[in-house]
Amino acid sequence: MVIYSVFVVNKAGSLIYHNDHSSSRPEVEKTFGYPLELTLKLQDERLLVIFGQRDGIRVGHTLLAINGEDVSGTKLGTDKNERNVMDVLNDPSNYPISIKFGRPKLSSNERIMLASMFHSLFAIGSQLSPEPHSSGIEVLETDAFKLHCFQTQTGIKFIVLTDPRQGGVEAILHRLHELYADYALKNSFYALDMPIRCELFDTSLQAVLEQAEKSGVYSGV
Amino acid sequence: MSRQTGRGTETKKVSAELFTLTYGALVAQLIKDYESDEEVNKQLDKMGYNIGVRLIEDFLARSSVGRCHDFRETADVIAKVGFKMFLGITPTVANWSPAGDEFSLVLDNNPLTEFVELPDGHQNLNYSNLLSGVLRGALEMVQMEVDVTFLQDALKGDNTTEIRLKFIRRLEDALPAGEE
């Protein structure tokens, strides 16, 4: 069983902790000849595949590296030897060329945005409820993952993204609450409501996730 | 200072004496640092508040107590679960006000004062004032504003120690979404 990631959101809706546990972002590397059979487009400072799905490279993937060299945004290489990726790809003399594609990783800004967005969704959930005294969103299910959310009485939200078949997530969420009480709040150098940068919290959280994955409770296939 | 943890069989206990002596050292130092007893009381209350706002999370994570919708419920939880968990004692809840918004916690044996004799000239010192800060801070985090005062103190010759809690208001705007 897989636990993808953990988020902790404070009562004001800002992200105070984030952990990517297992990544489900496969990367594909392929050697191309000139001209490139893919249509690329620049979007949000990233080069995105918008057409030409083949060999595991999918629409929506971004360009991660060229000839083993990491691409950051639209630039290739380090400061001294910086080149524009499009210039490199448009120059036939650079071919054959090996390009690595994959799903883009969320930047920390995007994560912060998504966390506060969920904070509002959670509130909307309880507002829209046809029944009185409803909680906010506790589980959000898709065909690829399941989001579990636990809000403490003080308003801190613990959010865990897992495989849809992972069981016992409620127990994991309560364990995370305990870890937060122990390793974040009892750390004298941790300021309330601020991002959690405590190594002990990190390592014990890692241990909880690993243990939960190993004993993965199946609630299905 | 003992407590039961919610981690199944694993329990962590700390010697009450170690806690009591550490607290004593803290108060003694504060008396040296500040000129008036009132100032010491204020500092203890402030420290207690800072402890309380963190301690509440530990309490909630390890007890399965839900949200209280009545001050009587709150009183019960504080006395029977909270004090038991962190100090190993169960104070008596007494002297309810007719409106049900005020009650007293009566401590027959206060673990903090076990070895203490108050020196002369400190009649205004509330030796255990940290407790009032803790109660105030912890309740504030679950959206209850309360006023906490010491009515009686066994250290000052009273029969018991009596802490008075007065409910002021519900902090509605701090109420998290999905909690009525």
Side-chain angles (χ1 to χ4, degrees), chain A residues 148-150 158-160 169-177:
Chain A
H148 305 256
C149 175
F150 165 60
F158 293 88
I159 300 164
V160 173
V169 181
E170 211 157 292
I172 299 173
L173 288 168
H174 282 106
R175 190 74 186 90
L176 293 183
H177 188 197

Side-chain angles (χ1 to χ4, degrees), chain A residues 11 122-123 126 133-136 151-156 175 177-178 180-182 184-187 190-192, chain B residues 3 6-7 10 12 53-58 60-62 65-68 141-143 174 176-180:
Chain A
K11 61 184 166 216
F122 183 95
S126 74
H133 314 310
S134 166
S135 72
Q151 179 173 253
T152 69
Q153 286 154 64
T154 51
I156 309 274
R175 190 74 186 90
H177 188 197
E178 278 181 29
Y180 170 71
D182 276 346
L185 295 185
K186 284 180 195 165
N187 179 349
Y190 170 70
L192 224 56
Chain B
R3 69 166 192 211
R7 295 181 198 154
E10 181 195 341
K12 264 189 198 161
V53 294
R54 291 167 181 247
L55 199 69
I56 182 69
E57 210 71 63
D58 191 48
L60 292 172
R62 285 176 219 291
V65 174
R67 182 171 295 281
C68 295
M141 292 305 274
V142 284
Q143 296 85 44
E179 301 268 352
E180 12 152 8

Side-chain angles (χ1 to χ4, degrees), chain A residues 2 4 12 30 65 79 88 91 115 126 132 151 178 210:
Chain A
V2 194
Y4 297 125
K30 190 175 149 46
D79 290 341
V88 175
D91 182 357
S126 74
Q151 179 173 253
E178 278 181 29
E210 262 152 40

